[in-house]
PDB file of all heavy atoms in Angstrom:
ATOM      1  N   GLY A 317     176.373  -8.010 -69.943  1.00 97.00           N
ATOM      2  CA  GLY A 317     177.196  -7.593 -71.088  1.00 97.00           C
ATOM      3  C   GLY A 317     178.575  -8.195 -71.145  1.00 97.00           C
ATOM      4  O   GLY A 317     179.466  -7.772 -71.875  1.00 97.00           O
ATOM      5  N   MET A 318     178.752  -9.332 -70.341  1.00 97.00           N
ATOM      6  CA  MET A 318     180.103  -9.931 -70.239  1.00 97.00           C
ATOM      7  C   MET A 318     180.322 -11.033 -71.283  1.00 97.00           C
ATOM      8  O   MET A 318     181.433 -11.631 -71.304  1.00 97.00           O
ATOM      9  CB  MET A 318     180.378 -10.369 -68.836  1.00 97.00           C
ATOM     10  CG  MET A 318     180.435  -9.217 -67.787  1.00 97.00           C
ATOM     11  SD  MET A 318     181.580  -7.972 -68.293  1.00 97.00           S
ATOM     12  CE  MET A 318     183.121  -8.840 -68.263  1.00 97.00           C
ATOM     13  N   ILE A 319     179.312 -11.423 -72.025  1.00 98.00           N
ATOM     14  CA  ILE A 319     179.527 -12.420 -73.077  1.00 98.00           C
ATOM     15  C   ILE A 319     179.252 -11.763 -74.420  1.00 98.00           C
ATOM     16  O   ILE A 319     178.176 -11.094 -74.589  1.00 98.00           O
ATOM     17  CB  ILE A 319     178.563 -13.628 -72.880  1.00 98.00           C
ATOM     18  CG1 ILE A 319     178.821 -14.328 -71.580  1.00 98.00           C
ATOM     19  CG2 ILE A 319     178.690 -14.580 -74.046  1.00 98.00           C
ATOM     20  CD1 ILE A 319     177.927 -15.502 -71.277  1.00 98.00           C
ATOM     21  N   GLY A 320     180.201 -11.867 -75.290  1.00 96.00           N
ATOM     22  CA  GLY A 320     180.034 -11.212 -76.564  1.00 96.00           C
ATOM     23  C   GLY A 320     181.416 -11.161 -77.303  1.00 96.00           C
ATOM     24  O   GLY A 320     182.399 -11.662 -76.726  1.00 96.00           O
ATOM     25  N   PRO A 321     181.480 -10.510 -78.447  1.00 97.00           N
ATOM     26  CA  PRO A 321     182.818 -10.403 -79.141  1.00 97.00           C
ATOM     27  C   PRO A 321     183.818  -9.751 -78.259  1.00 97.00           C
ATOM     28  O   PRO A 321     183.461  -8.843 -77.497  1.00 97.00           O
ATOM     29  CB  PRO A 321     182.447  -9.509 -80.388  1.00 97.00           C
ATOM     30  CG  PRO A 321     180.955  -9.541 -80.489  1.00 97.00           C
ATOM     31  CD  PRO A 321     180.406  -9.797 -79.155  1.00 97.00           C
ATOM     32  N   PRO A 322     185.038 -10.159 -78.308  1.00 97.00           N
ATOM     33  CA  PRO A 322     185.663 -11.127 -79.222  1.00 97.00           C
ATOM     34  C   PRO A 322     185.667 -12.582 -78.704  1.00 97.00           C
ATOM     35  O   PRO A 322     186.309 -13.402 -79.271  1.00 97.00           O
ATOM     36  CB  PRO A 322     187.116 -10.646 -79.308  1.00 97.00           C
ATOM     37  CG  PRO A 322     187.362 -10.123 -77.917  1.00 97.00           C
ATOM     38  CD  PRO A 322     186.076  -9.571 -77.393  1.00 97.00           C
ATOM     39  N   ALA A 323     184.853 -12.884 -77.641  1.00 98.00           N
ATOM     40  CA  ALA A 323     184.970 -14.168 -77.007  1.00 98.00           C
ATOM     41  C   ALA A 323     183.792 -15.107 -77.274  1.00 98.00           C
ATOM     42  O   ALA A 323     183.765 -16.199 -76.751  1.00 98.00           O
ATOM     43  CB  ALA A 323     185.131 -13.956 -75.550  1.00 98.00           C
ATOM     44  N   THR A 324     182.854 -14.704 -78.170  1.00 97.00           N
ATOM     45  CA  THR A 324     181.673 -15.531 -78.402  1.00 97.00           C
ATOM     46  C   THR A 324     182.075 -16.984 -78.829  1.00 97.00           C
ATOM     47  O   THR A 324     181.444 -17.946 -78.380  1.00 97.00           O
ATOM     48  CB  THR A 324     180.729 -14.925 -79.444  1.00 97.00           C
ATOM     49  OG1 THR A 324     180.600 -13.492 -79.164  1.00 97.00           O
ATOM     50  CG2 THR A 324     179.375 -15.502 -79.456  1.00 97.00           C
ATOM     51  N   ARG A 325     183.093 -17.052 -79.682  1.00 97.00           N
ATOM     52  CA  ARG A 325     183.486 -18.402 -80.230  1.00 97.00           C
ATOM     53  C   ARG A 325     184.015 -19.282 -79.109  1.00 97.00           C
ATOM     54  O   ARG A 325     183.745 -20.450 -79.072  1.00 97.00           O
ATOM     55  CB  ARG A 325     184.615 -18.168 -81.249  1.00 97.00           C
ATOM     56  CG  ARG A 325     184.736 -19.304 -82.242  1.00 97.00           C
ATOM     57  CD  ARG A 325     185.714 -18.882 -83.382  1.00 97.00           C
ATOM     58  NE  ARG A 325     187.028 -18.556 -82.755  1.00 97.00           N
ATOM     59  CZ  ARG A 325     187.992 -19.395 -82.528  1.00 97.00           C
ATOM     60  NH1 ARG A 325     187.849 -20.659 -82.848  1.00 97.00           N
ATOM     61  NH2 ARG A 325     189.155 -19.026 -82.026  1.00 97.00           N
ATOM     62  N   LEU A 326     184.713 -18.695 -78.093  1.00 98.00           N
ATOM     63  CA  LEU A 326     185.192 -19.484 -76.925  1.00 98.00           C
ATOM     64  C   LEU A 326     184.039 -20.055 -76.168  1.00 98.00           C
ATOM     65  O   LEU A 326     183.991 -21.230 -75.760  1.00 98.00           O
ATOM     66  CB  LEU A 326     186.041 -18.608 -76.056  1.00 98.00           C
ATOM     67  CG  LEU A 326     187.413 -18.229 -76.610  1.00 98.00           C
ATOM     68  CD1 LEU A 326     188.052 -17.120 -75.719  1.00 98.00           C
ATOM     69  CD2 LEU A 326     188.364 -19.408 -76.724  1.00 98.00           C
ATOM     70  N   TRP A 327     182.981 -19.238 -75.992  1.00 98.00           N
ATOM     71  CA  TRP A 327     181.755 -19.724 -75.239  1.00 98.00           C
ATOM     72  C   TRP A 327     181.123 -20.812 -76.012  1.00 98.00           C
ATOM     73  O   TRP A 327     180.614 -21.780 -75.413  1.00 98.00           O
ATOM     74  CB  TRP A 327     180.842 -18.523 -74.993  1.00 98.00           C
ATOM     75  CG  TRP A 327     181.278 -17.662 -73.880  1.00 98.00           C
ATOM     76  CD1 TRP A 327     182.003 -16.532 -73.933  1.00 98.00           C
ATOM     77  CD2 TRP A 327     180.979 -17.863 -72.470  1.00 98.00           C
ATOM     78  NE1 TRP A 327     182.198 -16.001 -72.655  1.00 98.00           N
ATOM     79  CE2 TRP A 327     181.580 -16.812 -71.791  1.00 98.00           C
ATOM     80  CE3 TRP A 327     180.279 -18.835 -71.776  1.00 98.00           C
ATOM     81  CZ2 TRP A 327     181.516 -16.688 -70.381  1.00 98.00           C
ATOM     82  CZ3 TRP A 327     180.206 -18.726 -70.369  1.00 98.00           C
ATOM     83  CH2 TRP A 327     180.842 -17.669 -69.699  1.00 98.00           C
ATOM     84  N   ARG A 328     181.033 -20.701 -77.358  1.00 97.00           N
ATOM     85  CA  ARG A 328     180.385 -21.746 -78.191  1.00 97.00           C
ATOM     86  C   ARG A 328     181.169 -23.038 -78.122  1.00 97.00           C
ATOM     87  O   ARG A 328     180.613 -24.084 -77.918  1.00 97.00           O
ATOM     88  CB  ARG A 328     180.280 -21.262 -79.640  1.00 97.00           C
ATOM     89  CG  ARG A 328     179.346 -20.146 -79.832  1.00 97.00           C
ATOM     90  CD  ARG A 328     178.138 -20.500 -80.680  1.00 97.00           C
ATOM     91  NE  ARG A 328     176.958 -19.681 -80.419  1.00 97.00           N
ATOM     92  CZ  ARG A 328     176.804 -18.409 -80.857  1.00 97.00           C
ATOM     93  NH1 ARG A 328     177.679 -17.925 -81.705  1.00 97.00           N
ATOM     94  NH2 ARG A 328     175.699 -17.749 -80.537  1.00 97.00           N
ATOM     95  N   ARG A 329     182.491 -22.918 -78.187  1.00 97.00           N
ATOM     96  CA  ARG A 329     183.348 -24.109 -78.104  1.00 97.00           C
ATOM     97  C   ARG A 329     183.208 -24.819 -76.783  1.00 97.00           C
ATOM     98  O   ARG A 329     183.357 -25.995 -76.678  1.00 97.00           O
ATOM     99  CB  ARG A 329     184.793 -23.742 -78.321  1.00 97.00           C
ATOM    100  CG  ARG A 329     185.203 -23.654 -79.846  1.00 97.00           C
ATOM    101  CD  ARG A 329     186.635 -23.234 -79.985  1.00 97.00           C
ATOM    102  NE  ARG A 329     187.556 -24.224 -79.452  1.00 97.00           N
ATOM    103  CZ  ARG A 329     188.795 -23.996 -79.079  1.00 97.00           C
ATOM    104  NH1 ARG A 329     189.325 -22.758 -79.118  1.00 97.00           N
ATOM    105  NH2 ARG A 329     189.579 -24.932 -78.585  1.00 97.00           N
TER     106      ARG A 329
END
Side-chain angles (χ1 to χ4, degrees):
M318 295 308 297
I319 298 179
T324 315
R325 204 171 56 89
L326 291 169
W327 281 94
R328 292 245 154 79
R329 277 179 64 203

